[in-house]
Amino acid sequence: MNRVDTPPEIRAIRTIVVFARAPREGEVKTRLAAGVGEPAALAIYRWLGARTLSAARALHNVRVVIHFTPSDGAADLRAWLGDTTLHPQCTGDLGARMHHAVADALAGGAGEVLVVGTDCPGLDARLLDRAFGALRDADVVIGPATDGGYYLIGLRALAPALFAAIPWSSADTL
């Protein structure tokens, strides 16, 4: 069956895409590591990522997909997060990678897609469920962060302009 023939009940799958890095000392939370050391930064990263995945898995009728980097990190992620769906991130800036992940989820039958990272300690199942609820009445949902960026973006359809020509990792991202 091709994607055009996918039944409506399957097309409506809610998907959470989690962007993650392989948990390797010295390669995660590098700014934090400057103050607390690499082992502590890795432990914090592991805790945050496991918390994010736990929140996503707590929702019913939701597919959870990890888009990871670097491309050789699948074994590290499986050892850390267990059996989960993994896809290596494509090349390009954060916008290109998020655009690709959303396009992939939509092409795979998702009716609603949330994209989150692994560094938001306030993210929980209730917040994710509220974001999906907001997508019933909106084409796009954004969870603003206090630093000028955002911790969550949700879409029902591909919107390339949301990911192009954005000053990533700045106070002007959102």
Side-chain angles (χ1 to χ4, degrees):
M1 179 185 325
N2 65 38
R3 292 189 173 135
V4 174
D5 299 325
T6 304
E9 64 273 12
I10 294 174
R11 276 191 309 237
I13 295 170
R14 300 182 310 165
T15 299
I16 299 174
V17 173
V18 179
F19 268 49
R21 294 191 65 77
R24 297 174 179 167
E25 192 171 305
E27 296 182 27
V28 296
K29 309 305 290 172
T30 54
R31 288 181 298 202
L32 180 63
V36 301
E38 290 177 355
L42 177 60
I44 291 166
Y45 178 76
R46 284 179 174 274
W47 178 80
L48 287 168
R51 180 177 165 81
T52 298
L53 195 59
S54 177
R57 287 178 171 164
L59 298 180
H60 298 292
N61 301 317
V62 172
R63 176 175 49 199
V64 179
V65 179
I66 309 293
H67 278 253
F68 68 91
T69 189
S71 60
D72 67 348
D76 294 326
L77 284 147
R78 283 202 198 287
W80 172 37
L81 301 173
D83 187 29
T84 192
T85 303
L86 298 173
H87 294 284
Q89 291 179 22
C90 71
T91 58
D93 69 6
L94 180 59
R97 291 180 284 139
M98 285 197 300
H99 177 268
H100 179 267
V102 170
D104 186 56
L106 292 169
E112 300 170 336
V113 181
L114 299 181
V115 179
V116 298
T118 55
D119 57 357
C120 183
L123 191 72
D124 60 18
R126 184 177 313 159
L127 193 144
L128 293 169
D129 195 45
R130 283 187 17 225
F132 276 125
L135 276 175
R136 285 191 288 264
D137 299 318
D139 294 330
V140 177
V141 173
I142 296 177
T146 57
D147 66 359
Y150 55 88
Y151 61 87
L152 174 150
I153 186 164
L155 302 101
R156 292 187 297 164
L158 201 54
L162 293 175
F163 303 111
I166 304 294
W168 299 109
S169 300
S170 79
D172 296 322
T173 299
L174 181 58

